[in-house]
Amino acid sequence: MIKKIYFFILILSLNACNKIIEPEKPEHIFEKYKSSVVLIASQYYYEVYSDNSIYYYSPSSEKKIFFSKEEVLNNLSFSTGTGFIISENGEIITNNHVVNHKDENYKIELVNFYEKAKESILYEVKMYNDTIDQIKSTYYQYSDQMDYYQKQTFENRFDFVNNKKNLLANLYNRIEDIDFSSATSKLIIHKLGIAYNDTHVTEFDDLQECVIVKTSENEKIDLALLQTKSKSFNKKPNFIFNFKDNNPNITENPEKNKERDIKNPIKINEDVFMIGFNRGFSLANTKQGIKSQFTSGKISQENDGERILYTIPTLEGSSGSPIVDKWGNLVGVNFAKISNSQSFSFAVPVYELKKFYEK
C-alpha cells in the first residue's frame, strides 16, 4: 500500500514537471499593462537665428513666423506621442522624435514670408506712385490758380508720399539681400507632460510635467528617457515594464524552457501586441477619460539588430508605444511605419533599449 502511494506521488510530480502553461489571452495582457502606458504631449516652438536677427517659428500654427517671443507663446505648436513606465522613479521611455522635433521647414517659411512681404511692398509702392502721379497732375493743372499756402500743401503732400515710397523701396532692397541659407534653429519645449489611461484631460495643466533626461546619440536608435519632475507618478501603475522573460514555464519547468535571448527575443510570424495612443487625444478622448488602444500583428521580418518589422497598423501618436509578445515580454519600442502603408511598422529592439537605459 505504501509503495502505491509513493508511486502515485511520483506520477503527480512528473505530471507537474511536464505541465505546460499557456499564454494569457490578449485582453488580459492589455488589462495588465494599460496603466503603464502614458500619452505624452508637448508644446513647443523654435528660435531661428539668421545674421543678427532672431525669429520664432511655430510649424503647426497658422501664421508660423513671428518676430517676438510673446507672439509665438500665444501660437505654440502641439504634438503627442506614447511612452511607457520603466521604473518606480518616474522614468518613461519614448522615441527621441516624440520630444525632439526636427523641422527644417523654417527656412522655406521665412523665404515664403518675405516673398509675400515683397509682394505687399510692391503693391504699396504702386499705390504711392499712383498717388504721386495724381498730385503732380493736379498741381500742374491748377498751380497757376493756387496761392502760396495751397502750393505749399501740395508740395508737402508730395514730399510725404514720395518719402513713404522711398522707404518701402529701400526696405524691398534690404529684403532682397537677406540670405537664409546659413540660418540655424533651436527647439524650445515650452511644456512637456504625460496623461494616464482612464483619466480626464481638459487642458495642458491636467498633465503631469516631465523633463527629458537623455536621448540616444545614435540616430538609428530612436529613443528618449523622460522623468516626471516629482520623480514619482500621480497615478501608480499596476505593472512596471522590464527586460525580464515573463514566461512562467521557465520557472515551472526550467529543464525544457530556456530564458529568451534578449538579442533575438522573437521569431518570424510570432504574435505581437502594441498599446498606444494612436492619433493622440483625438482618438483617446472618451466620456470615461482618455483610453489607449490595443492592436496586434505578427513579426514579418527577422530582427536586423536595429529594428523589428511587424504587421501592426500605426498612426501618428503611436510613436513610443511598447511592443510586447504573447507572454507580455517587452520586445521593442514602436518608432515608424512604412510610408504609404498602415500595415507595416518598425520598433527599436529591446536589446538596444536595454543598452540605452542602463548606460
Side-chain angles (χ1 to χ4, degrees):
M1 182 67 180
I2 293 175
K3 288 183 179 181
K4 287 183 179 181
I5 293 172
Y6 280 129
F7 180 75
F8 181 70
I9 292 172
L10 179 62
I11 294 297
L12 286 177
S13 62
L14 287 173
N15 286 336
C17 289
N18 292 326
K19 182 182 178 183
I20 298 175
I21 302 173
E22 295 296 326
E24 291 184 300
K25 292 180 179 180
E27 54 265 34
H28 293 161
I29 293 176
F30 178 58
E31 282 299 316
K32 180 180 180 180
Y33 287 86
K34 67 180 182 180
S35 67
S36 307
V37 179
V38 295
L39 189 153
I40 298 171
S42 67
Q43 291 177 322
Y44 65 96
Y45 64 93
Y46 296 86
E47 287 183 352
V48 178
Y49 311 98
S50 181
D51 294 330
N52 295 318
S53 301
I54 298 179
Y55 305 90
Y56 301 90
Y57 171 54
S58 183
S60 62
S61 71
E62 185 177 353
K63 189 178 174 183
K64 298 190 185 325
I65 298 295
F66 302 90
F67 291 90
S68 72
K69 189 174 180 179
E70 290 73 23
E71 277 187 296
V72 78
L73 289 178
N74 290 322
N75 295 274
L76 292 167
S77 288
F78 179 79
S79 71
T80 63
T82 302
F84 56 93
I85 295 170
I86 198 72
S87 80
E88 295 180 350
N89 301 321
E91 292 179 317
I92 299 147
I93 291 292
T94 188
N95 292 144
N96 185 16
H97 78 259
V98 169
V99 294
N100 188 19
H101 317 280
K102 290 187 178 180
D103 191 324
E104 296 295 322
N105 289 330
Y106 64 89
K107 292 181 182 180
I108 296 172
E109 293 298 335
L110 280 169
V111 170
N112 289 342
F113 176 86
Y114 279 112
E115 285 299 321
K116 289 179 181 178
K118 281 161 52 177
E119 289 176 10
S120 178
I121 289 171
L122 287 176
Y123 177 78
E124 291 289 326
V125 168
K126 181 181 179 302
M127 295 297 291
Y128 280 129
N129 279 332
D130 289 345
T131 302
I132 288 170
D133 289 342
Q134 186 179 14
I135 292 172
K136 284 181 178 180
S137 175
T138 304
Y139 184 83
Y140 292 142
Q141 186 174 358
Y142 298 104
S143 61
D144 57 345
Q145 302 174 24
M146 296 180 188
D147 61 24
Y148 172 81
Y149 294 105
Q150 289 173 326
K151 288 181 179 180
Q152 194 67 42
T153 300
F154 265 85
E155 290 172 4
N156 290 341
R157 175 66 176 162
F158 175 86
D159 290 340
F160 176 80
V161 175
N162 195 51
N163 286 337
K164 285 282 188 179
K165 184 199 76 171
N166 290 335
L167 285 172
L168 285 174
N170 290 334
L171 178 59
Y172 184 93
N173 292 331
R174 289 203 303 272
I175 292 174
E176 281 274 75
D177 293 336
I178 296 175
D179 180 14
F180 294 113
S181 60
S182 59
T184 58
S185 68
K186 178 184 177 182
L187 172 67
I188 307 294
I189 297 179
H190 182 64
K191 284 185 178 180
L192 177 65
I194 58 170
Y196 299 93
N197 202 65
D198 290 327
T199 61
H200 289 280
V201 178
T202 57
E203 57 185 20
F204 207 97
D205 288 342
D206 291 332
L207 276 62
Q208 185 174 1
E209 198 167 356
C210 297
V211 296
I212 302 170
V213 176
K214 64 176 179 176
T215 57
S216 175
E217 296 175 359
N218 184 345
E219 288 187 2
K220 294 182 179 180
I221 307 301
D222 191 355
L223 295 172
L225 176 66
L226 313 183
Q227 190 172 36
T228 60
K229 281 196 169 182
S230 63
K231 296 186 178 182
S232 62
F233 294 106
N234 290 347
K235 185 179 179 183
K236 190 175 180 180
N238 296 328
F239 180 83
I240 303 291
F241 280 91
N242 56 59
F243 306 110
K244 298 176 183 177
D245 192 336
N246 298 307
N247 182 351
N249 291 297
I250 294 171
T251 54
E252 291 293 330
N253 196 353
E255 293 180 359
K256 292 188 176 182
N257 295 276
K258 293 182 180 180
E259 189 171 342
R260 68 173 181 167
D261 177 7
I262 198 169
K263 289 187 178 181
N264 191 23
I266 198 159
K267 296 180 175 58
I268 285 287
N269 208 39
E270 288 193 9
D271 293 327
V272 283
F273 308 96
M274 183 181 80
I275 306 172
F277 291 93
N278 291 283
R279 287 272 167 86
F281 288 106
S282 62
L283 280 183
N285 268 325
T286 72
K287 291 180 180 179
Q288 290 78 37
I290 65 165
K291 291 186 180 292
S292 58
Q293 300 92 43
F294 184 75
T295 46
S296 62
K298 289 183 179 293
I299 297 295
S300 55
Q301 189 178 72
E302 291 181 346
N303 175 14
D304 68 357
E306 292 182 342
R307 61 185 189 177
I308 301 170
L309 180 65
Y310 40 84
T311 61
I312 296 179
T314 59
L315 299 168
E316 64 272 18
S318 60
S319 295
S321 299
I323 306 298
V324 298
D325 65 12
K326 62 185 178 182
W327 300 108
N329 294 323
L330 187 59
V331 170
V333 185
N334 181 70
F335 75 92
K337 69 178 181 181
I338 295 179
S339 299
N340 302 319
S341 169
Q342 293 184 357
S343 298
F344 291 93
S345 302
F346 292 107
V348 177
V350 65
Y351 176 67
E352 290 296 334
L353 169 59
K354 189 173 187 291
K355 284 197 305 181
F356 166 75
Y357 178 66
E358 295 179 349
K359 185 177 179 180

